[in-house]
Amino acid sequence: MIAFLDIQTTSNNYKLASIVAFSVVVIDDDRIIHSIERTVKPLNVLSSMEERSSGYSNSELRSQNCFADYFAELVEILGDAVVIFFDKFSEMIWRKSLREIGFPVNKSQQIIQELLIRRGILNQKTSLDSLCNLLKKDTSLNRLGLNANVLAAIYTEYVLADNGSEAINQPFADYKVVTDFDNLPKNPGVYYFFDSEKAVIYVGKAINLKERIKAHFSSKIQFELTLTESTFSIEYKETGNELISLLLESAEIARLKPLYNTQQIEDILPWTIESRIDKKGIFRIFPKEKSYSDNYHSISFNRDSVITKLKNLALQFSLCYRFLGIERTSGSCSSPLCKGVCTGMETREAYNKRAQKAFDSLQSNKESYFLKLSGRVKSEEAFVLVKDGVYEGFGFIPLEYPVRSIADFEAFIEPYDNTYFTNRSIHQYLNKKGIVKYNLP
């Protein structure tokens, strides 16, 4: 079940904006099951400027219900539906409005404007009215905020349907095409080299996009000569800081597998520490290399690091190397503090108690934090989110948006896989002097 939600506000400023109109269309099994349009009495009288910008007057809103009065109706018709908005601002305001009346709401993974940019149908953000003109849709828009039905139609036709073929010839979302080296920014970012068939053949990162891209074309190294001779166009995306450049580059190389990127093409599977009770009733802790993409319990991305951690557990909790998967010898193990479970000198009950405590300590030591970084523009901050020791992704938050919970981060995060390369990038960054990890709110 999906719901399309259109809203109109008093202002484009997040702090000042309040909802004056909204509409909802709920679809289940390709059938509209709910459709409502509501106008809202604002808490404060609108200024003349707010009346003009919102398209609604104080006189017509004065007799309407406050937003909180629609709460019960919204809960009933939205239920567990995935809510889809036209743009990010609409989602932010909707979340803020519900939070103000004590109702938290999950973020929407579906922003129509962003989805259309990703598919190459849009090159930049635009209004709903301009989008309809661009798509040449013969649609008469209702008053501002009352066009959830139009959102549903656009989503169905241009997102669900296979109309993204033109995306091949269009820039990526939020990416810019290089037309002149002299106009390149001197900011951190990620860049893409395309061949004559518009396939990505190289992805790179840069602290200074201008200098790094130009360096490819001035180099006399054979690799660079071959790469640049094969390059027909270039696109880039600013990231605001070096760490997100590293993380995005790693994710894009894994996704696109460009011809001239060789170092990060191979997947490196994570090693984990897991546990089980064996046939003799002994609680075993052992290293295991994952063969699937479930990285949630990953401890490291190489076996040596896991073995080192297991040896530390053996010392801390007087455990046996044999039952930690470190040794496979018969008889006594070589662990200096083993109390003899491997030779029958210690009962399995006594050993299991310590082994369980050791395994539980691994889970409790997983950190959850975020890193605060420079944004792409002065009006935003960037962040990298790590939850339970696992990299979740990064995002950009407007300075005026208050972050009070992890749900606020999740409203802006671009999720990415936790891999060896992202793990390494974050750890190297944390080893720099003066880096602060912030606890999640």
Side-chain angles (χ1 to χ4, degrees):
M1 185 166 68
I2 56 177
F4 298 90
L5 208 154
D6 186 30
I7 70 171
Q8 177 60 13
T9 63
T10 57
S11 169
N12 290 326
N13 184 304
Y14 172 82
K15 286 185 176 180
L16 303 177
S18 61
I19 296 174
V20 292
F22 69 89
S23 57
V24 181
V25 168
V26 182
I27 297 177
D28 193 15
D29 291 331
D30 298 324
R31 184 174 60 90
I32 296 177
I33 59 173
H34 295 292
S35 180
I36 65 169
E37 297 178 356
R38 302 287 183 264
T39 48
V40 180
K41 179 182 178 180
L43 295 178
N44 300 309
V45 175
L46 302 186
S47 67
S48 57
M49 182 179 294
E50 288 174 329
E51 285 185 307
R52 288 194 300 270
S53 63
S54 69
Y56 291 85
S57 65
N58 287 307
S59 59
E60 64 180 312
L61 296 177
R62 190 175 296 118
S63 60
Q64 303 303 309
N65 289 330
C66 295
F67 185 74
D69 295 330
Y70 295 116
F71 175 74
E73 181 184 27
L74 288 170
V75 170
E76 180 182 353
I77 68 171
L78 290 177
D80 295 326
V82 174
V83 181
I84 300 172
F85 297 86
F86 175 66
D87 57 19
K88 193 69 182 176
F89 182 76
S90 297
E91 185 209 25
M92 289 168 55
I93 296 299
W94 187 256
R95 285 164 52 82
K96 181 182 84 164
S97 301
L98 288 179
R99 186 169 55 190
E100 287 174 349
I101 60 176
F103 184 72
V105 59
N106 293 331
K107 69 168 182 174
S108 173
Q109 297 284 1
Q110 306 276 335
I111 305 295
I112 290 177
Q113 196 176 74
E114 295 176 2
L115 292 171
L116 293 179
I117 290 175
R118 257 178 237 152
R119 291 179 70 88
I121 297 167
L122 268 181
N123 285 333
Q124 60 185 2
K125 296 175 182 179
T126 187
S127 66
L128 180 58
D129 184 40
S130 297
L131 175 61
C132 288
N133 290 332
L134 177 67
L135 299 178
K136 299 179 180 178
K137 289 190 69 65
D138 187 16
T139 302
S140 297
L141 292 178
N142 297 324
R143 297 189 68 183
L144 296 174
L146 305 180
N147 292 289
N149 60 320
V150 178
L151 300 186
I154 292 173
Y155 183 86
T156 301
E157 184 174 353
Y158 292 93
V159 177
L160 293 184
D162 187 20
N163 287 317
S165 58
E166 294 182 7
I168 297 173
N169 298 315
Q170 298 291 343
F172 292 160
D174 296 328
Y175 289 66
K176 299 177 181 178
V177 179
V178 177
T179 55
D180 185 348
F181 285 164
D182 290 336
N183 292 328
L184 280 165
K186 297 180 180 181
N187 301 325
V190 170
Y191 55 92
Y192 301 73
F193 285 4
F194 294 81
D195 65 12
S196 58
E197 301 297 321
K198 199 58 178 176
V200 177
I201 58 173
Y202 185 79
V203 176
K205 65 182 181 303
I207 298 176
N208 183 319
L209 282 165
K210 182 175 184 177
E211 295 303 320
R212 183 68 189 98
I213 293 175
K214 288 177 67 175
H216 282 288
F217 290 85
S218 60
S219 175
K220 303 302 181 184
I221 299 173
Q222 186 57 49
F223 170 82
E224 298 282 18
L225 293 172
T226 304
L227 171 63
T228 53
E229 285 174 3
S230 303
T231 300
F232 278 70
S233 62
I234 304 171
E235 296 174 12
Y236 68 90
K237 180 177 183 179
E238 294 186 51
T239 59
N241 57 83
E242 182 182 9
L243 178 57
I244 289 182
S245 295
L246 286 165
L247 297 172
L248 181 58
E249 178 203 37
S250 175
E252 292 293 64
I253 290 174
R255 180 176 72 90
L256 299 167
K257 294 181 169 49
L259 176 64
Y260 290 96
N261 288 101
T262 57
Q263 292 184 340
Q264 294 189 31
I265 293 296
E266 182 181 355
D267 291 331
I268 298 179
L269 299 176
W271 281 85
T272 70
I273 295 178
E274 299 191 356
S275 67
R276 65 179 175 87
I277 301 293
D278 68 12
K279 294 180 180 179
K280 295 181 179 179
I282 295 177
F283 188 92
R284 286 180 175 266
I285 302 172
F286 56 94
K288 182 177 180 181
E289 185 179 23
K290 291 287 189 183
S291 58
Y292 48 90
S293 59
D294 173 18
N295 293 338
Y296 185 77
H297 296 293
S298 61
I299 303 299
S300 181
F301 285 88
N302 63 77
R303 189 176 188 277
D304 290 342
S305 296
V306 172
I307 294 300
T308 298
K309 184 171 282 289
L310 289 172
K311 287 183 177 180
N312 290 337
L313 286 180
L315 294 174
Q316 186 179 355
F317 294 94
S318 301
L319 301 181
C320 173
Y321 278 180
R322 278 181 55 195
F323 298 117
L324 285 176
I326 298 174
E327 294 179 354
R328 295 184 178 181
T329 57
S330 59
S332 63
C333 72
S334 63
S335 175
L337 297 181
C338 177
K339 296 186 178 182
V341 68
C342 50
T343 58
M345 295 177 60
E346 182 185 27
T347 66
R348 65 187 180 191
E349 290 78 15
Y351 179 82
N352 286 355
K353 186 176 181 180
R354 294 197 313 279
Q356 180 69 66
K357 188 175 181 180
F359 186 75
D360 290 343
S361 72
L362 295 175
Q363 310 305 313
S364 63
N365 288 336
K366 291 181 178 178
E367 290 185 283
S368 294
Y369 61 89
F370 70 94
L371 301 173
K372 195 182 295 185
L373 305 163
S374 299
R376 299 159 297 185
V377 292
K378 292 182 179 180
S379 59
E380 70 179 13
E381 281 185 332
F383 69 91
V384 169
L385 183 64
V386 175
K387 192 161 63 172
D388 295 323
V390 175
Y391 165 64
E392 298 284 326
F394 62 82
F396 303 91
I397 301 182
L399 292 178
E400 68 267 20
Y401 190 91
V403 177
R404 300 186 182 125
S405 68
I406 192 169
D408 292 327
F409 282 109
E410 291 175 344
F412 293 91
I413 197 168
E414 297 177 33
Y416 287 99
D417 289 338
N418 181 42
T419 68
Y420 168 80
F421 299 106
T422 57
N423 211 35
R424 183 181 65 181
S425 296
I426 292 173
H427 281 268
Q428 289 176 345
Y429 179 80
L430 291 174
N431 287 332
K432 293 182 178 180
K433 187 176 180 180
I435 299 302
V436 178
K437 292 189 290 188
Y438 295 87
N439 293 327
L440 291 175

